[in-house]
Amino acid sequence: MHPIQRIRELWQFREVIKNLVAQELKVKYRRSILGFFWSLLNPLLQLVVISLVFSLIFRMQNFSLYVLSGVVPWSFFASSIDGCSMSLVSSEAMLRRQYFPKAVFPISFVLQNLVTFAMSLIVLLTILGPIANLRLTPALLFLPVSFACIVAVTLGLGALAALVTAHFRDMRHLISVLLSAWFYLTPIIYPLETPDGQGMIPHEYRWYFKLNPMFAVIELFHRPIYHGVLPTNAELLTAGAVSIVFLVGGLLVFWRSEDRLIFAL
Amino acid sequence: MAPSFIRLDDVWLRFRLYSTQHRSIKETVVNFILRRQYGAPTRDITALRGITLAIDDGQRLGIVGDNGAGKSSMLKVISRIYPPTSGRVTRSGFLVPLLEIGIGFNGELSGLENIYLTGAIMGFSRREMRRRVDPILDFAELREFADTPIKYYSSGMQQRLAFSVATEIDPEILLLDEVFSVGDIHWMEKARDRMRRLMDRARILVLVSHQMDLIEQYCNRAIWMRAGEIAADGAPGDVIRAYRDSAAAVAPVAARTD
């Protein structure tokens, strides 16, 4: 099927996506009104620990705000990919009963995780903003673009993770190891360079870090939240290109093998 | 309304059966390095061999044949759950497949929420499903459990719900596999009745069954499938007779594998 047809078909089945998103959110937060606050607790504790430990090493101004602006988007990225990787496998029974486009599973998982992500970023910034010296600048209005980029990258990789795990069940473990390696390779709990041009990473190696596609995406959050400025044009272009390549590439690969996926489940 | 139809044009279906349930990357890599091929021997199955078939509006087609002859695969190809390896499948008409009454539900969600989800998969919006919810819950006799998560349902309750949702919607093309059978005696009477009415209203019915009387009663055409091919096509009485004679003459043939 042509990609345009695939998109049209997904649109026809948008009710399935809507249902899956609404229901996942319901399940997530049903147990208690505290459900949402529990989901905040994890990044919050992570933030506190990282800030306490690493602020001693890096001696950076407002280090906790720096960590917050990177860790929250990263946990959206990582938890979405982990969730996507099981999304097809756990829906096998549904897929065997009736035909519908399989991309609804990664898409709805990313969308429902996006709701949690957006809410936790807003709440954490509101609570911690005054403590961590968040500056309310117009640059914060750039954040929707940052969200769009990270959603695109996450969706592309999430679709691939779902596909790979359907073929090899134990890929899930490998994926989570890769994700944590990727986390440490991305400047999130350490700065690539401090405002005075210093930093833990020697100059000659910084170039390698910038090759990491997630670097560009996370910078879209660092710039407006931590630095209080808009990303540079070069940063925006890089992140935009990364988003498109991952989204389009991921979906095209997914669609190529989507139809025969049922035989692997 | 445009007439419904199903066309299969030289349809082949091949797939690979893995003898262990799931493959792992560890096993694959280790086997590749050691250049060995055990742990997961595979079988390539050719389930359909060049099927050409036209089913027109008003036809009630029964499919008979031994286990592994490709009957269920045929239904799955018609309903697009399986993509044909080669050949073309075209069809027109709103189709509902009742193939595996497996528990295609999300256990964490309530019965009600699962009704909406199943409806969405069949192509109905929340609004369109809303007026169907009451009849579904009444028929399944599960009204008081509507808000209970499915994981607390007994398997009988889950089946009742699945059956009731699937049969609440009037399809133009109804695909029915015998596997789709139902629970206790009281329920069976009720379900059979509902199924009968559904079959009457559909414009095309394709029914797979080992119960010859069922096929003779409901169908106006039958095919006999043998090892992925159509061995006979015609009036139900004739086809069933041919199938019975062959069964008497030789031991049942298992699915051919390559």
Side-chain angles (χ1 to χ4, degrees), chain A residues 1 9 13 15-16 19 23 26-27 30-31 94 96-100 168-170 259-260 262, chain B residues 14 22-26 28 79-83 97 100 104 108-109 113 116 120-121 125-126:
Chain A
M1 233 193 298
E9 192 181 39
F13 280 86
E15 283 290 333
V16 179
N19 266 281
Q23 294 174 359
K26 237 181 247 174
V27 170
R30 159 156 19 188
R31 300 276 169 235
M94 252 160 85
R96 284 193 179 284
R97 287 204 316 177
Q98 183 122 26
Y99 172 82
F100 55 97
F168 303 103
R169 298 302 153 102
D170 57 346
D259 290 333
R260 295 194 60 80
I262 189 78
Chain B
R14 285 195 199 86
H22 304 303
R23 278 171 297 165
S24 72
I25 190 83
K26 186 191 77 188
T28 309
S79 60
R80 289 183 70 193
I81 294 171
Y82 285 172
E100 294 179 18
E108 294 294 327
L109 296 172
E113 287 160 340
Y116 283 117
I121 292 169
S125 69
R126 237 183 149 70

Side-chain angles (χ1 to χ4, degrees), chain B residues 34-52:
Chain B
L34 300 181
R35 287 160 212 269
R36 65 181 181 191
Q37 231 262 313
Y38 62 78
T42 57
R43 286 204 309 161
D44 283 324
I45 300 285
T46 305
L48 300 177
R49 301 167 171 273
I51 300 282
T52 298

Side-chain angles (χ1 to χ4, degrees), chain A residues 220-235:
Chain A
L220 294 190
F221 290 89
H222 279 155
R223 286 292 175 208
I225 298 176
Y226 176 68
H227 300 278
V229 296
L230 290 174
T232 63
N233 284 340
E235 283 169 338

Side-chain angles (χ1 to χ4, degrees), chain B residues 205-230:
Chain B
L205 168 74
V206 184
L207 169 67
V208 165
S209 180
H210 288 292
Q211 290 169 268
M212 299 300 145
D213 52 328
L214 211 62
I215 296 210
E216 251 169 322
Q217 189 185 346
Y218 281 108
C219 300
N220 52 23
R221 179 185 174 190
I223 57 174
W224 163 25
M225 300 260 327
R226 187 175 51 192
E229 286 165 328
I230 297 179

Side-chain angles (χ1 to χ4, degrees), chain A residues 2 10 44-45 54 86 90 115 124 132 140 143 191 198 253-254:
Chain A
H2 195 270
L10 278 172
L44 198 62
L45 285 176
F54 287 90
M86 287 311 282
S90 58
V115 175
L124 286 174
L140 287 175
L143 282 176
Q198 298 304 302
V253 172
F254 186 86

